[in-house]
Amino acid sequence: MFGGIWLGDREVLEASGLENPVLCMRVCSLLMYVALFIVACRIARCRRIDVRLFLGACSVLGLAMFAAGALVVLAVLPQLPADCADRRLIGLAGLSLTKFVGAPVSVWLACAFALLDRTAVMRACALGMLGAFALYSTLSQAGVACLLGTIGAVGAAGLLLVCSIALCMAGTELSLRAVFRRASPRAHGTAFAAPGVVKRPLSKVLTPGYAVAIVLSAVMLGFLRNGLATGSAAGVDPHADPASLVALVALLAAALLWKDLRTEHVFYGALLFATAGILLQPVLSVAAPGASEVLCGLGTALFEVVMWSLVVWVARNSTDAFVAASAARLVAVVGHLAGTAVVVGVGMILGPSLQDTLHASGLVVVLAYVLLLVAQLGSSPQLQVPFLSPSVVVSDARGASCPAPKDADCGEGRPADVSRSENEADIDRRYWVEPCDAVADMYRLTAREREVLELMARGRDMPYMGETLCISRNTLKMHIRHMYTKLDAHSRQDVISIVEEARQLS
């Protein structure tokens, strides 16, 4: 899907004749995702529409609009005189039509990825996104691009989109004939329900800190893609460099062989490549021309993997995957637009010197990332995804930290709605032990990980947990890391939320 969209974007943007076409494209995408998110919220309230049927119908309609928009830009626009007053408006309309298909298909894919087993999600995200870049790089090679031509490239983009829609239907067990039938109200809540996951409300999954993680990854991605699209010599796409294709294939092999691949691994790799490409650009431009663009291109690919995995995680762990995926993709597109605006804004300030513009804005973005990363590393010893806000805890009289649940006191307190006649042991069993047992059984935690889970859910800090379990701090960190991986959690607050949801279900 992404390979098709990128290929179509490249041809349509070149032929649109708009000023700052990438910025116009980002604005169009943002409007499409805003509309889809509003519709998703309405569907969630009425609960009378099969989400798969809706996304299937929107995707087929979007494919038709993509063809119409490409026809307007590539066939109608060149026939208009250069001084035509409506030329830019027609170009913008054609560009907008081509962007409609991206929103429903990408949200549908995120929901389909959310059905995968936890251990398969990260690898699927890495293989899918890096494969999209490798495919796009292959089709962008000089010989292939000349052979295809503009019309052939747009046709190839349409074919890739058709294949992605067909695979979405197969992956979510939806037939093409069913797309045009009346929606069934029974499949709404179960269409994208991943088994073995404690679902939580969107507000407890897409927290402000997590939204910042998505936005910051997307900002760097938008900056890199816009800078690469405009900063290459002679307008050559850096992904068309054969060295870029070789490096992408190497990354694909690494993702395939790395069994314990996690989001933070990919993030650090993306930051390393992007930082090296930006900071070493003056040296590499002399020593190895084109190397800086290749490094930034690899950073772009890895940031796409990070952003996509964050979106899928939100869809997988939320009670309504459709609304969650729509919201997460909307947040990501806001970051794309912000990253593109950085390049455009710095260009307006610094003037027409393109290389100075890209280098200065790149330094600003990299500096912001490094500062935020250092701050997060200092405050989060169990770092899973950068830039997540720490959980809010309070302290009891004995110095142990404890969350402040709505219906329970800290430490040995009891839920407010429980009768005073019930003894404390029974309350403790019902409020803590049984929910933690249910979570441990669902996620297949070991006995020690289950003990760590309960202590963390109670809000105990690390010194208290280490003393209670009679284990060292490093051993405790290891158990926490393994528990986070099995729960697909990124912070202490995620763990607390999972236990709270299990308690409500029981």
Side-chain angles (χ1 to χ4, degrees), residues 158-181:
L159 180 61
L160 290 173
L161 290 171
V162 170
C163 293
S164 67
I165 293 174
L167 290 173
C168 278
M169 291 181 176
T172 55
E173 300 178 352
L174 179 65
S175 65
L176 182 62
R177 182 179 301 178
V179 171
F180 301 100
R181 291 180 177 177

Side-chain angles (χ1 to χ4, degrees), residues 138 398 443:
T138 300
R398 292 163 298 180
Y443 291 94

Side-chain angles (χ1 to χ4, degrees), residues 2 54 63 122 157 193 238 320 344 384 396 460:
F2 280 104
F54 173 78
L63 192 61
M122 189 61 228
D320 194 314
V344 175
Q384 291 288 303
D396 59 15
R460 307 308 186 191

Side-chain angles (χ1 to χ4, degrees), residues 404-452:
K406 297 178 181 178
D407 52 352
D409 294 327
C410 186
E412 301 300 325
R414 63 181 64 198
D417 59 344
V418 178
S419 172
R420 294 178 180 273
S421 60
E422 295 183 21
N423 59 62
E424 292 185 359
D426 187 48
I427 296 173
D428 189 81
R429 176 182 58 80
R430 291 169 51 191
Y431 197 79
W432 296 114
V433 177
E434 291 180 356
C436 290
D437 285 342
V439 172
D441 291 340
M442 179 177 293
Y443 291 94
R444 299 180 180 178
L445 302 182
T446 64
R448 181 64 82 185
E449 291 165 357
R450 186 249 173 263
E451 293 175 341
V452 173

Side-chain angles (χ1 to χ4, degrees), residues 222-253:
F223 165 76
L224 288 172
R225 292 199 65 191
N226 187 66
L228 292 176
T230 59
S232 302
V236 177
D237 190 340
H239 292 293
D241 192 326
S244 178
L245 178 59
V246 173
L248 285 169
V249 172
L251 289 178
L252 270 169

Side-chain angles (χ1 to χ4, degrees), residues 119-325:
T119 57
V121 168
M122 189 61 228
R123 181 174 293 183
C125 290
L127 294 178
M129 196 61 70
L130 293 175
F133 270 95
L135 177 61
Y136 175 75
S137 180
T138 300
L139 295 176
S140 300
Q141 300 299 313
V144 178
C146 293
L147 181 64
L148 289 176
T150 300
I151 302 299
V154 173
L159 180 61
L160 290 173
L161 290 171
V162 170
C163 293
S164 67
I165 293 174
L167 290 173
C168 278
M169 291 181 176
T172 55
E173 300 178 352
L174 179 65
S175 65
L176 182 62
R177 182 179 301 178
V179 171
F180 301 100
R181 291 180 177 177
R182 188 174 180 179
S184 168
R186 295 180 298 173
H188 174 84
T190 59
F192 300 113
V197 178
V198 176
K199 298 288 188 176
R200 287 165 278 161
L202 180 60
S203 60
K204 292 186 177 182
V205 178
L206 190 60
T207 60
Y210 202 85
V212 169
I214 297 177
V215 167
L216 288 174
S217 296
V219 164
M220 185 61 129
L221 181 59
F223 165 76
L224 288 172
R225 292 199 65 191
N226 187 66
L228 292 176
T230 59
S232 302
V236 177
D237 190 340
H239 292 293
D241 192 326
S244 178
L245 178 59
V246 173
L248 285 169
V249 172
L251 289 178
L252 270 169
L256 184 64
L257 297 175
W258 194 340
K259 295 183 179 180
D260 193 28
L261 183 65
R262 295 197 298 271
T263 303
E264 68 269 24
H265 298 149
V266 183
F267 175 84
Y268 295 140
L271 188 60
L272 176 63
F273 280 121
T275 303
I278 293 172
L279 298 183
L280 299 179
Q281 188 270 335
V283 177
L284 294 176
S285 62
V286 177
S292 176
E293 287 78 7
V294 171
L295 288 174
C296 288
L298 296 178
T300 303
L302 293 178
F303 271 115
E304 281 276 17
V305 176
V306 171
M307 189 199 64
W308 188 251
S309 67
L310 297 178
V311 170
V312 173
W313 184 85
V314 172
R316 190 171 188 271
N317 290 275
S318 298
T319 52
D320 194 314
F322 178 36
V323 176

Side-chain angles (χ1 to χ4, degrees), residues 24-53:
C24 295
M25 178 193 71
R26 299 296 187 198
V27 173
C28 292
S29 295
L30 178 63
L31 295 176
M32 300 302 173
Y33 278 101
V34 168
L36 184 61
F37 176 68
I38 293 173
V39 173
C41 292
R42 292 182 64 88
I43 290 176
R45 285 198 296 267
C46 70
R47 296 186 176 274
R48 294 187 58 82
I49 298 177
D50 188 332
V51 175
R52 297 171 304 167
L53 295 178

